Amino acid sequence: MSLELVATSELCSSYNGAEVLHEVSFRVQQGDYLGIVGPNGSGKSTLVKTLLGLNRPTHGTVTLFGLPQDQFGDWQKIGYLPQRLKFFNPNFPATVEELVRLGLLAGKGFPKRRAKGDDAAVEETLAIMGITDIRKRLIGELSGGQQQRALLARAIVGKPELLIMDEPTTALDPETRERFYELLQLLNRERNTTVILVTHDTWSIGKYATRFLYIDKRVVFDGTFDQFCQSEEMTGFFGEHAQHIICHRH
Amino acid sequence: MTITEILSYGFIQRALVAGSLIAVLCAVLGVFLVLRRLSLIGDGLAHVTFGSVAIALFLRINPAVVTVAAIPLVLLSSFGILKLTDKARIYGDAAIGIVSSLGIACGVLLASVAGGFNIDLFSYLFGNILAIGTGDLVLALVLFAVVLLAVFFFYYDLVAITFDEELARSSGIRTKTINTVLVLLTALTVVLAMKLVGIMLISALLILPAVTALQVAASFRATILVAALLAVGSVVVGIFGSFILNLPTGASIVMVNFVVFMLVFSGKKLRQAR
């Protein structure tokens, strides 16, 4: 029986008095590759932040690795790649290697110091992400694709069991985006890393994700992409034409 | 007068040692503050220090220990800035502005009510590094050890929250604690740096070496190291220069820092233009 890594129950969240999430319930099992899609303002990013404890729900519960979210402390088990860094400063003077090393902090107690095995983990991750040759370059000097790979390297260097990403490919060109998704698939298949990916890119979700969660403040659909395409309920929700366009691209 | 002769003066020796220690602290903390867009917190806390000194003098606390007496109130004010930002959802710069103006207002009001103090409150505005005594030197040494040890122990947490606070929180880092540590260390450093360059110029010591180092940084560690070296160099050149040219020392240190910044900045632009 596979382990349940994430479970939400009747999750509600508000922003400036307006309800952003309404009774959102879903579960994520180990090894899942869950794509979360929905229109702008549907609460996707709020949902991700609520899972990570960055946003407090007004109602409902989040369970991570079997523990209530506020009791969960094994943050090294979760890698997070945000949509865009809130205060990202292109002049931040960290090298790619320094940035990736920050991903190892979650598992460390006080004081956080370099541990045996850190160097090997960083080396391995730089190689997997194909950024070994730019390890000494400042992140501000890199292209959008290189920056995103460095940030993904930061998220996976601690070998998390669960990887949560919020629209990570927004700034990438189609070719780089494809390579990015292939990397995620590799992690999902070879490391059994569970992936939760928020995206607008429905086509890619259909191609790579094993599950598809469509939210619009509430859960509209939860199933596989094929089920989505065949769902009469979804035809009613989207209209035949829109559903056809989404599924045809697949 | 030769350098050896200048160095033979006890007050110059103390100024060089204390100045270098405080310069290193300001530079190291400055890198984090500048990158977190909290550069002006030094200025704000310096103004609070002015008010705190006025309160200490008003309460007839011995002028020799006024600096130490001001510390609790400045620490409390630094908490105030954090709380205003966090709880009242006021932007950091506005919170600094509120606390800062309150500090200055307290100082001026108390000076007026007391009808003036035995020592000139306004001398704290510009400081006098050459008047540093042995007690100040010991205080600088203790503070140097405390702040550098704290930065050593919290280094990775500080880098993480400086890069992105939300990302740091998602890694389980207690960002509120680390923010508090950073602001408290800054408050302690500002109180002590008051004697060096004075309240008006403290933020220059926090900002200029960091901004200069950021122009040539090759890594985060290198930025901190370069900022510290530039800051010490500026203090040494500033003290010698002011002594030889009979200029105010605090202002001279700041001017040297600014000249170094301009040289590095111009050099970088020229290199980029080629």
Side-chain angles (χ1 to χ4, degrees), chain A residues 219-243:
Chain A
V219 175
V220 176
F221 177 84
D222 185 358
T224 65
F225 192 76
D226 289 338
Q227 284 169 341
F228 169 80
C229 292
Q230 288 156 16
S231 163
E232 286 178 13
E233 192 190 348
M234 288 301 96
T235 311
F237 185 80
F238 285 101
E240 203 169 308
H241 183 64
Q243 189 187 25

mmCIF file with all atom_site columns, all heavy atoms in Angstrom, chain A residues 219-243:
data_model
loop_
_atom_site.group_PDB
_atom_site.id
_atom_site.type_symbol
_atom_site.label_atom_id
_atom_site.label_alt_id
_atom_site.label_comp_id
_atom_site.label_asym_id
_atom_site.label_entity_id
_atom_site.label_seq_id
_atom_site.pdbx_PDB_ins_code
_atom_site.Cartn_x
_atom_site.Cartn_y
_atom_site.Cartn_z
_atom_site.occupancy
_atom_site.B_iso_or_equiv
_atom_site.pdbx_formal_charge
_atom_site.auth_seq_id
_atom_site.auth_comp_id
_atom_site.auth_asym_id
_atom_site.auth_atom_id
_atom_site.pdbx_PDB_model_num
ATOM 1   N N   . VAL A 1 219 ? -12.712 22.007 -6.091  1.00 0.00 ? 219 VAL A N   1
ATOM 2   C CA  . VAL A 1 219 ? -12.242 20.964 -7.001  1.00 0.00 ? 219 VAL A CA  1
ATOM 3   C C   . VAL A 1 219 ? -13.338 20.701 -8.033  1.00 0.00 ? 219 VAL A C   1
ATOM 4   O O   . VAL A 1 219 ? -14.448 20.303 -7.684  1.00 0.00 ? 219 VAL A O   1
ATOM 5   C CB  . VAL A 1 219 ? -11.898 19.667 -6.239  1.00 0.00 ? 219 VAL A CB  1
ATOM 6   C CG1 . VAL A 1 219 ? -11.533 18.562 -7.230  1.00 0.00 ? 219 VAL A CG1 1
ATOM 7   C CG2 . VAL A 1 219 ? -10.765 19.904 -5.261  1.00 0.00 ? 219 VAL A CG2 1
ATOM 8   N N   . VAL A 1 220 ? -12.998 20.955 -9.299  1.00 0.00 ? 220 VAL A N   1
ATOM 9   C CA  . VAL A 1 220 ? -13.957 20.745 -10.380 1.00 0.00 ? 220 VAL A CA  1
ATOM 10  C C   . VAL A 1 220 ? -13.801 19.330 -10.939 1.00 0.00 ? 220 VAL A C   1
ATOM 11  O O   . VAL A 1 220 ? -14.769 18.659 -11.259 1.00 0.00 ? 220 VAL A O   1
ATOM 12  C CB  . VAL A 1 220 ? -13.727 21.787 -11.500 1.00 0.00 ? 220 VAL A CB  1
ATOM 13  C CG1 . VAL A 1 220 ? -14.656 21.519 -12.684 1.00 0.00 ? 220 VAL A CG1 1
ATOM 14  C CG2 . VAL A 1 220 ? -13.950 23.190 -10.957 1.00 0.00 ? 220 VAL A CG2 1
ATOM 15  N N   . PHE A 1 221 ? -12.533 18.885 -11.013 1.00 0.00 ? 221 PHE A N   1
ATOM 16  C CA  . PHE A 1 221 ? -12.280 17.549 -11.548 1.00 0.00 ? 221 PHE A CA  1
ATOM 17  C C   . PHE A 1 221 ? -11.052 16.948 -10.889 1.00 0.00 ? 221 PHE A C   1
ATOM 18  O O   . PHE A 1 221 ? -10.052 17.637 -10.670 1.00 0.00 ? 221 PHE A O   1
ATOM 19  C CB  . PHE A 1 221 ? -12.074 17.626 -13.075 1.00 0.00 ? 221 PHE A CB  1
ATOM 20  C CG  . PHE A 1 221 ? -11.747 16.297 -13.680 1.00 0.00 ? 221 PHE A CG  1
ATOM 21  C CD1 . PHE A 1 221 ? -12.760 15.402 -14.021 1.00 0.00 ? 221 PHE A CD1 1
ATOM 22  C CD2 . PHE A 1 221 ? -10.423 15.907 -13.888 1.00 0.00 ? 221 PHE A CD2 1
ATOM 23  C CE1 . PHE A 1 221 ? -12.453 14.152 -14.551 1.00 0.00 ? 221 PHE A CE1 1
ATOM 24  C CE2 . PHE A 1 221 ? -10.121 14.671 -14.420 1.00 0.00 ? 221 PHE A CE2 1
ATOM 25  C CZ  . PHE A 1 221 ? -11.133 13.791 -14.742 1.00 0.00 ? 221 PHE A CZ  1
ATOM 26  N N   . ASP A 1 222 ? -11.102 15.673 -10.587 1.00 0.00 ? 222 ASP A N   1
ATOM 27  C CA  . ASP A 1 222 ? -9.952  14.958 -10.039 1.00 0.00 ? 222 ASP A CA  1
ATOM 28  C C   . ASP A 1 222 ? -9.922  13.572 -10.680 1.00 0.00 ? 222 ASP A C   1
ATOM 29  O O   . ASP A 1 222 ? -10.773 12.732 -10.403 1.00 0.00 ? 222 ASP A O   1
ATOM 30  C CB  . ASP A 1 222 ? -10.091 14.844 -8.506  1.00 0.00 ? 222 ASP A CB  1
ATOM 31  C CG  . ASP A 1 222 ? -8.850  14.217 -7.860  1.00 0.00 ? 222 ASP A CG  1
ATOM 32  O OD1 . ASP A 1 222 ? -7.926  13.840 -8.603  1.00 0.00 ? 222 ASP A OD1 1
ATOM 33  O OD2 . ASP A 1 222 ? -8.822  14.122 -6.620  1.00 0.00 ? 222 ASP A OD2 1
ATOM 34  N N   . GLY A 1 223 ? -8.954  13.346 -11.564 1.00 0.00 ? 223 GLY A N   1
ATOM 35  C CA  . GLY A 1 223 ? -8.861  12.051 -12.242 1.00 0.00 ? 223 GLY A CA  1
ATOM 36  C C   . GLY A 1 223 ? -7.708  12.074 -13.217 1.00 0.00 ? 223 GLY A C   1
ATOM 37  O O   . GLY A 1 223 ? -6.845  12.964 -13.158 1.00 0.00 ? 223 GLY A O   1
ATOM 38  N N   . THR A 1 224 ? -7.666  11.114 -14.158 1.00 0.00 ? 224 THR A N   1
ATOM 39  C CA  . THR A 1 224 ? -6.597  11.123 -15.151 1.00 0.00 ? 224 THR A CA  1
ATOM 40  C C   . THR A 1 224 ? -6.978  12.063 -16.286 1.00 0.00 ? 224 THR A C   1
ATOM 41  O O   . THR A 1 224 ? -8.147  12.471 -16.404 1.00 0.00 ? 224 THR A O   1
ATOM 42  C CB  . THR A 1 224 ? -6.374  9.712  -15.734 1.00 0.00 ? 224 THR A CB  1
ATOM 43  O OG1 . THR A 1 224 ? -7.557  9.339  -16.444 1.00 0.00 ? 224 THR A OG1 1
ATOM 44  C CG2 . THR A 1 224 ? -6.088  8.691  -14.645 1.00 0.00 ? 224 THR A CG2 1
ATOM 45  N N   . PHE A 1 225 ? -6.017  12.354 -17.117 1.00 0.00 ? 225 PHE A N   1
ATOM 46  C CA  . PHE A 1 225 ? -6.269  13.260 -18.232 1.00 0.00 ? 225 PHE A CA  1
ATOM 47  C C   . PHE A 1 225 ? -7.283  12.628 -19.195 1.00 0.00 ? 225 PHE A C   1
ATOM 48  O O   . PHE A 1 225 ? -8.159  13.317 -19.710 1.00 0.00 ? 225 PHE A O   1
ATOM 49  C CB  . PHE A 1 225 ? -4.946  13.564 -18.948 1.00 0.00 ? 225 PHE A CB  1
ATOM 50  C CG  . PHE A 1 225 ? -5.041  14.704 -19.915 1.00 0.00 ? 225 PHE A CG  1
ATOM 51  C CD1 . PHE A 1 225 ? -5.083  16.008 -19.466 1.00 0.00 ? 225 PHE A CD1 1
ATOM 52  C CD2 . PHE A 1 225 ? -5.105  14.474 -21.277 1.00 0.00 ? 225 PHE A CD2 1
ATOM 53  C CE1 . PHE A 1 225 ? -5.185  17.067 -20.358 1.00 0.00 ? 225 PHE A CE1 1
ATOM 54  C CE2 . PHE A 1 225 ? -5.199  15.522 -22.172 1.00 0.00 ? 225 PHE A CE2 1
ATOM 55  C CZ  . PHE A 1 225 ? -5.231  16.831 -21.712 1.00 0.00 ? 225 PHE A CZ  1
ATOM 56  N N   . ASP A 1 226 ? -7.126  11.329 -19.425 1.00 0.00 ? 226 ASP A N   1
ATOM 57  C CA  . ASP A 1 226 ? -8.069  10.637 -20.322 1.00 0.00 ? 226 ASP A CA  1
ATOM 58  C C   . ASP A 1 226 ? -9.491  10.691 -19.766 1.00 0.00 ? 226 ASP A C   1
ATOM 59  O O   . ASP A 1 226 ? -10.442 10.914 -20.513 1.00 0.00 ? 226 ASP A O   1
ATOM 60  C CB  . ASP A 1 226 ? -7.629  9.171  -20.526 1.00 0.00 ? 226 ASP A CB  1
ATOM 61  C CG  . ASP A 1 226 ? -6.373  9.103  -21.388 1.00 0.00 ? 226 ASP A CG  1
ATOM 62  O OD1 . ASP A 1 226 ? -6.131  10.074 -22.134 1.00 0.00 ? 226 ASP A OD1 1
ATOM 63  O OD2 . ASP A 1 226 ? -5.632  8.112  -21.275 1.00 0.00 ? 226 ASP A OD2 1
ATOM 64  N N   . GLN A 1 227 ? -9.594  10.495 -18.449 1.00 0.00 ? 227 GLN A N   1
ATOM 65  C CA  . GLN A 1 227 ? -10.927 10.588 -17.815 1.00 0.00 ? 227 GLN A CA  1
ATOM 66  C C   . GLN A 1 227 ? -11.503 11.988 -17.995 1.00 0.00 ? 227 GLN A C   1
ATOM 67  O O   . GLN A 1 227 ? -12.691 12.159 -18.232 1.00 0.00 ? 227 GLN A O   1
ATOM 68  C CB  . GLN A 1 227 ? -10.836 10.246 -16.325 1.00 0.00 ? 227 GLN A CB  1
ATOM 69  C CG  . GLN A 1 227 ? -10.688 8.761  -16.048 1.00 0.00 ? 227 GLN A CG  1
ATOM 70  C CD  . GLN A 1 227 ? -10.344 8.487  -14.588 1.00 0.00 ? 227 GLN A CD  1
ATOM 71  O OE1 . GLN A 1 227 ? -9.888  9.369  -13.867 1.00 0.00 ? 227 GLN A OE1 1
ATOM 72  N NE2 . GLN A 1 227 ? -10.553 7.249  -14.162 1.00 0.00 ? 227 GLN A NE2 1
ATOM 73  N N   . PHE A 1 228 ? -10.621 12.967 -17.890 1.00 0.00 ? 228 PHE A N   1
ATOM 74  C CA  . PHE A 1 228 ? -11.048 14.358 -18.068 1.00 0.00 ? 228 PHE A CA  1
ATOM 75  C C   . PHE A 1 228 ? -11.630 14.557 -19.477 1.00 0.00 ? 228 PHE A C   1
ATOM 76  O O   . PHE A 1 228 ? -12.683 15.174 -19.647 1.00 0.00 ? 228 PHE A O   1
ATOM 77  C CB  . PHE A 1 228 ? -9.851  15.297 -17.839 1.00 0.00 ? 228 PHE A CB  1
ATOM 78  C CG  . PHE A 1 228 ? -10.106 16.721 -18.242 1.00 0.00 ? 228 PHE A CG  1
ATOM 79  C CD1 . PHE A 1 228 ? -10.810 17.575 -17.405 1.00 0.00 ? 228 PHE A CD1 1
ATOM 80  C CD2 . PHE A 1 228 ? -9.657  17.214 -19.458 1.00 0.00 ? 228 PHE A CD2 1
ATOM 81  C CE1 . PHE A 1 228 ? -11.051 18.886 -17.774 1.00 0.00 ? 228 PHE A CE1 1
ATOM 82  C CE2 . PHE A 1 228 ? -9.898  18.524 -19.837 1.00 0.00 ? 228 PHE A CE2 1
ATOM 83  C CZ  . PHE A 1 228 ? -10.603 19.360 -18.984 1.00 0.00 ? 228 PHE A CZ  1
ATOM 84  N N   . CYS A 1 229 ? -10.905 14.002 -20.456 1.00 0.00 ? 229 CYS A N   1
ATOM 85  C CA  . CYS A 1 229 ? -11.332 14.199 -21.847 1.00 0.00 ? 229 CYS A CA  1
ATOM 86  C C   . CYS A 1 229 ? -12.649 13.481 -22.140 1.00 0.00 ? 229 CYS A C   1
ATOM 87  O O   . CYS A 1 229 ? -13.390 13.884 -23.037 1.00 0.00 ? 229 CYS A O   1
ATOM 88  C CB  . CYS A 1 229 ? -10.245 13.719 -22.805 1.00 0.00 ? 229 CYS A CB  1
ATOM 89  S SG  . CYS A 1 229 ? -8.782  14.767 -22.717 1.00 0.00 ? 229 CYS A SG  1
ATOM 90  N N   . GLN A 1 230 ? -12.892 12.402 -21.389 1.00 0.00 ? 230 GLN A N   1
ATOM 91  C CA  . GLN A 1 230 ? -14.108 11.635 -21.658 1.00 0.00 ? 230 GLN A CA  1
ATOM 92  C C   . GLN A 1 230 ? -15.264 12.004 -20.724 1.00 0.00 ? 230 GLN A C   1
ATOM 93  O O   . GLN A 1 230 ? -16.372 11.486 -20.881 1.00 0.00 ? 230 GLN A O   1
ATOM 94  C CB  . GLN A 1 230 ? -13.795 10.134 -21.515 1.00 0.00 ? 230 GLN A CB  1
ATOM 95  C CG  . GLN A 1 230 ? -12.931 9.609  -22.667 1.00 0.00 ? 230 GLN A CG  1
ATOM 96  C CD  . GLN A 1 230 ? -12.156 8.363  -22.273 1.00 0.00 ? 230 GLN A CD  1
ATOM 97  O OE1 . GLN A 1 230 ? -12.481 7.729  -21.267 1.00 0.00 ? 230 GLN A OE1 1
ATOM 98  N NE2 . GLN A 1 230 ? -11.149 8.017  -23.058 1.00 0.00 ? 230 GLN A NE2 1
ATOM 99  N N   . SER A 1 231 ? -14.970 12.871 -19.766 1.00 0.00 ? 231 SER A N   1
ATOM 100 C CA  . SER A 1 231 ? -15.979 13.172 -18.756 1.00 0.00 ? 231 SER A CA  1
ATOM 101 C C   . SER A 1 231 ? -17.106 14.061 -19.312 1.00 0.00 ? 231 SER A C   1
ATOM 102 O O   . SER A 1 231 ? -16.858 15.167 -19.813 1.00 0.00 ? 231 SER A O   1
ATOM 103 C CB  . SER A 1 231 ? -15.310 13.875 -17.567 1.00 0.00 ? 231 SER A CB  1
ATOM 104 O OG  . SER A 1 231 ? -16.275 14.503 -16.783 1.00 0.00 ? 231 SER A OG  1
ATOM 105 N N   . GLU A 1 232 ? -18.309 13.547 -19.204 1.00 0.00 ? 232 GLU A N   1
ATOM 106 C CA  . GLU A 1 232 ? -19.460 14.336 -19.670 1.00 0.00 ? 232 GLU A CA  1
ATOM 107 C C   . GLU A 1 232 ? -19.690 15.537 -18.752 1.00 0.00 ? 232 GLU A C   1
ATOM 108 O O   . GLU A 1 232 ? -20.132 16.601 -19.184 1.00 0.00 ? 232 GLU A O   1
ATOM 109 C CB  . GLU A 1 232 ? -20.711 13.458 -19.720 1.00 0.00 ? 232 GLU A CB  1
ATOM 110 C CG  . GLU A 1 232 ? -20.683 12.490 -20.899 1.00 0.00 ? 232 GLU A CG  1
ATOM 111 C CD  . GLU A 1 232 ? -21.893 11.583 -20.924 1.00 0.00 ? 232 GLU A CD  1
ATOM 112 O OE1 . GLU A 1 232 ? -22.854 11.862 -20.187 1.00 0.00 ? 232 GLU A OE1 1
ATOM 113 O OE2 . GLU A 1 232 ? -21.859 10.596 -21.676 1.00 0.00 ? 232 GLU A OE2 1
ATOM 114 N N   . GLU A 1 233 ? -19.343 15.330 -17.480 1.00 0.00 ? 233 GLU A N   1
ATOM 115 C CA  . GLU A 1 233 ? -19.481 16.416 -16.506 1.00 0.00 ? 233 GLU A CA  1
ATOM 116 C C   . GLU A 1 233 ? -18.578 17.595 -16.916 1.00 0.00 ? 233 GLU A C   1
ATOM 117 O O   . GLU A 1 233 ? -18.977 18.758 -16.841 1.00 0.00 ? 233 GLU A O   1
ATOM 118 C CB  . GLU A 1 233 ? -19.080 15.898 -15.117 1.00 0.00 ? 233 GLU A CB  1
ATOM 119 C CG  . GLU A 1 233 ? -19.446 16.838 -13.989 1.00 0.00 ? 233 GLU A CG  1
ATOM 120 C CD  . GLU A 1 233 ? -18.829 16.413 -12.663 1.00 0.00 ? 233 GLU A CD  1
ATOM 121 O OE1 . GLU A 1 233 ? -18.323 15.276 -12.580 1.00 0.00 ? 233 GLU A OE1 1
ATOM 122 O OE2 . GLU A 1 233 ? -18.841 17.230 -11.742 1.00 0.00 ? 233 GLU A OE2 1
ATOM 123 N N   . MET A 1 234 ? -17.367 17.243 -17.379 1.00 0.00 ? 234 MET A N   1
ATOM 124 C CA  . MET A 1 234 ? -16.433 18.279 -17.813 1.00 0.00 ? 234 MET A CA  1
ATOM 125 C C   . MET A 1 234 ? -16.889 18.929 -19.120 1.00 0.00 ? 234 MET A C   1
ATOM 126 O O   . MET A 1 234 ? -16.659 20.118 -19.345 1.00 0.00 ? 234 MET A O   1
ATOM 127 C CB  . MET A 1 234 ? -15.026 17.682 -17.992 1.00 0.00 ? 234 MET A CB  1
ATOM 128 C CG  . MET A 1 234 ? -14.335 17.326 -16.691 1.00 0.00 ? 234 MET A CG  1
ATOM 129 S SD  . MET A 1 234 ? -14.120 18.742 -15.588 1.00 0.00 ? 234 MET A SD  1
ATOM 130 C CE  . MET A 1 234 ? -15.534 18.589 -14.529 1.00 0.00 ? 234 MET A CE  1
ATOM 131 N N   . THR A 1 235 ? -17.547 18.128 -19.948 1.00 0.00 ? 235 THR A N   1
ATOM 132 C CA  . THR A 1 235 ? -18.093 18.710 -21.172 1.00 0.00 ? 235 THR A CA  1
ATOM 133 C C   . THR A 1 235 ? -19.125 19.768 -20.796 1.00 0.00 ? 235 THR A C   1
ATOM 134 O O   . THR A 1 235 ? -19.161 20.854 -21.369 1.00 0.00 ? 235 THR A O   1
ATOM 135 C CB  . THR A 1 235 ? -18.759 17.612 -22.040 1.00 0.00 ? 235 THR A CB  1
ATOM 136 O OG1 . THR A 1 235 ? -17.866 16.524 -22.163 1.00 0.00 ? 235 THR A OG1 1
ATOM 137 C CG2 . THR A 1 235 ? -19.106 18.140 -23.426 1.00 0.00 ? 235 THR A CG2 1
ATOM 138 N N   . GLY A 1 236 ? -19.906 19.431 -19.772 1.00 0.00 ? 236 GLY A N   1
ATOM 139 C CA  . GLY A 1 236 ? -20.902 20.377 -19.306 1.00 0.00 ? 236 GLY A CA  1
ATOM 140 C C   . GLY A 1 236 ? -20.258 21.621 -18.711 1.00 0.00 ? 236 GLY A C   1
ATOM 141 O O   . GLY A 1 236 ? -20.758 22.733 -18.869 1.00 0.00 ? 236 GLY A O   1
ATOM 142 N N   . PHE A 1 237 ? -19.119 21.423 -18.062 1.00 0.00 ? 237 PHE A N   1
ATOM 143 C CA  . PHE A 1 237 ? -18.447 22.538 -17.388 1.00 0.00 ? 237 PHE A CA  1
ATOM 144 C C   . PHE A 1 237 ? -17.742 23.462 -18.389 1.00 0.00 ? 237 PHE A C   1
ATOM 145 O O   . PHE A 1 237 ? -17.848 24.675 -18.325 1.00 0.00 ? 237 PHE A O   1
ATOM 146 C CB  . PHE A 1 237 ? -17.437 21.982 -16.374 1.00 0.00 ? 237 PHE A CB  1
ATOM 147 C CG  . PHE A 1 237 ? -16.774 23.038 -15.545 1.00 0.00 ? 237 PHE A CG  1
ATOM 148 C CD1 . PHE A 1 237 ? -17.424 23.586 -14.441 1.00 0.00 ? 237 PHE A CD1 1
ATOM 149 C CD2 . PHE A 1 237 ? -15.507 23.506 -15.862 1.00 0.00 ? 237 PHE A CD2 1
ATOM 150 C CE1 . PHE A 1 237 ? -16.812 24.556 -13.673 1.00 0.00 ? 237 PHE A CE1 1
ATOM 151 C CE2 . PHE A 1 237 ? -14.894 24.482 -15.101 1.00 0.00 ? 237 PHE A CE2 1
ATOM 152 C CZ  . PHE A 1 237 ? -15.558 24.999 -14.000 1.00 0.00 ? 237 PHE A CZ  1
ATOM 153 N N   . PHE A 1 238 ? -16.981 22.830 -19.305 1.00 0.00 ? 238 PHE A N   1
ATOM 154 C CA  . PHE A 1 238 ? -16.177 23.618 -20.242 1.00 0.00 ? 238 PHE A CA  1
ATOM 155 C C   . PHE A 1 238 ? -16.928 23.939 -21.533 1.00 0.00 ? 238 PHE A C   1
ATOM 156 O O   . PHE A 1 238 ? -16.607 24.903 -22.224 1.00 0.00 ? 238 PHE A O   1
ATOM 157 C CB  . PHE A 1 238 ? -14.905 22.839 -20.639 1.00 0.00 ? 238 PHE A CB  1
ATOM 158 C CG  . PHE A 1 238 ? -13.873 22.815 -19.554 1.00 0.00 ? 238 PHE A CG  1
ATOM 159 C CD1 . PHE A 1 238 ? -13.720 21.700 -18.762 1.00 0.00 ? 238 PHE A CD1 1
ATOM 160 C CD2 . PHE A 1 238 ? -13.065 23.909 -19.317 1.00 0.00 ? 238 PHE A CD2 1
ATOM 161 C CE1 . PHE A 1 238 ? -12.776 21.675 -17.763 1.00 0.00 ? 238 PHE A CE1 1
ATOM 162 C CE2 . PHE A 1 238 ? -12.115 23.891 -18.317 1.00 0.00 ? 238 PHE A CE2 1
ATOM 163 C CZ  . PHE A 1 238 ? -11.972 22.771 -17.532 1.00 0.00 ? 238 PHE A CZ  1
ATOM 164 N N   . GLY A 1 239 ? -17.838 23.092 -21.896 1.00 0.00 ? 239 GLY A N   1
ATOM 165 C CA  . GLY A 1 239 ? -18.423 23.160 -23.236 1.00 0.00 ? 239 GLY A CA  1
ATOM 166 C C   . GLY A 1 239 ? -17.631 22.217 -24.132 1.00 0.00 ? 239 GLY A C   1
ATOM 167 O O   . GLY A 1 239 ? -16.426 22.010 -23.936 1.00 0.00 ? 239 GLY A O   1
ATOM 168 N N   . GLU A 1 240 ? -18.293 21.646 -25.087 1.00 0.00 ? 240 GLU A N   1
ATOM 169 C CA  . GLU A 1 240 ? -17.674 20.630 -25.939 1.00 0.00 ? 240 GLU A CA  1
ATOM 170 C C   . GLU A 1 240 ? -16.457 21.162 -26.686 1.00 0.00 ? 240 GLU A C   1
ATOM 171 O O   . GLU A 1 240 ? -15.418 20.510 -26.796 1.00 0.00 ? 240 GLU A O   1
ATOM 172 C CB  . GLU A 1 240 ? -18.717 20.108 -26.935 1.00 0.00 ? 240 GLU A CB  1
ATOM 173 C CG  . GLU A 1 240 ? -18.386 18.725 -27.460 1.00 0.00 ? 240 GLU A CG  1
ATOM 174 C CD  . GLU A 1 240 ? -19.574 18.158 -28.223 1.00 0.00 ? 240 GLU A CD  1
ATOM 175 O OE1 . GLU A 1 240 ? -20.690 18.154 -27.683 1.00 0.00 ? 240 GLU A OE1 1
ATOM 176 O OE2 . GLU A 1 240 ? -19.342 17.743 -29.353 1.00 0.00 ? 240 GLU A OE2 1
ATOM 177 N N   . HIS A 1 241 ? -16.594 22.386 -27.167 1.00 0.00 ? 241 HIS A N   1
ATOM 178 C CA  . HIS A 1 241 ? -15.529 22.966 -27.987 1.00 0.00 ? 241 HIS A CA  1
ATOM 179 C C   . HIS A 1 241 ? -14.230 23.136 -27.185 1.00 0.00 ? 241 HIS A C   1
ATOM 180 O O   . HIS A 1 241 ? -13.156 22.698 -27.616 1.00 0.00 ? 241 HIS A O   1
ATOM 181 C CB  . HIS A 1 241 ? -16.008 24.303 -28.544 1.00 0.00 ? 241 HIS A CB  1
ATOM 182 C CG  . HIS A 1 241 ? -15.012 24.949 -29.464 1.00 0.00 ? 241 HIS A CG  1
ATOM 183 N ND1 . HIS A 1 241 ? -14.634 24.382 -30.661 1.00 0.00 ? 241 HIS A ND1 1
ATOM 184 C CD2 . HIS A 1 241 ? -14.299 26.099 -29.332 1.00 0.00 ? 241 HIS A CD2 1
ATOM 185 C CE1 . HIS A 1 241 ? -13.728 25.166 -31.235 1.00 0.00 ? 241 HIS A CE1 1
ATOM 186 N NE2 . HIS A 1 241 ? -13.513 26.215 -30.451 1.00 0.00 ? 241 HIS A NE2 1
ATOM 187 N N   . ALA A 1 242 ? -14.375 23.759 -26.008 1.00 0.00 ? 242 ALA A N   1
ATOM 188 C CA  . ALA A 1 242 ? -13.184 24.007 -25.179 1.00 0.00 ? 242 ALA A CA  1
ATOM 189 C C   . ALA A 1 242 ? -12.547 22.688 -24.738 1.00 0.00 ? 242 ALA A C   1
ATOM 190 O O   . ALA A 1 242 ? -11.319 22.527 -24.770 1.00 0.00 ? 242 ALA A O   1
ATOM 191 C CB  . ALA A 1 242 ? -13.573 24.839 -23.963 1.00 0.00 ? 242 ALA A CB  1
ATOM 192 N N   . GLN A 1 243 ? -13.368 21.745 -24.350 1.00 0.00 ? 243 GLN A N   1
ATOM 193 C CA  . GLN A 1 243 ? -12.831 20.453 -23.909 1.00 0.00 ? 243 GLN A CA  1
ATOM 194 C C   . GLN A 1 243 ? -12.084 19.775 -25.073 1.00 0.00 ? 243 GLN A C   1
ATOM 195 O O   . GLN A 1 243 ? -11.011 19.205 -24.894 1.00 0.00 ? 243 GLN A O   1
ATOM 196 C CB  . GLN A 1 243 ? -13.957 19.549 -23.405 1.00 0.00 ? 243 GLN A CB  1
ATOM 197 C CG  . GLN A 1 243 ? -13.440 18.279 -22.743 1.00 0.00 ? 243 GLN A CG  1
ATOM 198 C CD  . GLN A 1 243 ? -14.571 17.317 -22.410 1.00 0.00 ? 243 GLN A CD  1
ATOM 199 O OE1 . GLN A 1 243 ? -15.622 17.353 -23.031 1.00 0.00 ? 243 GLN A OE1 1
ATOM 200 N NE2 . GLN A 1 243 ? -14.334 16.470 -21.427 1.00 0.00 ? 243 GLN A NE2 1
#
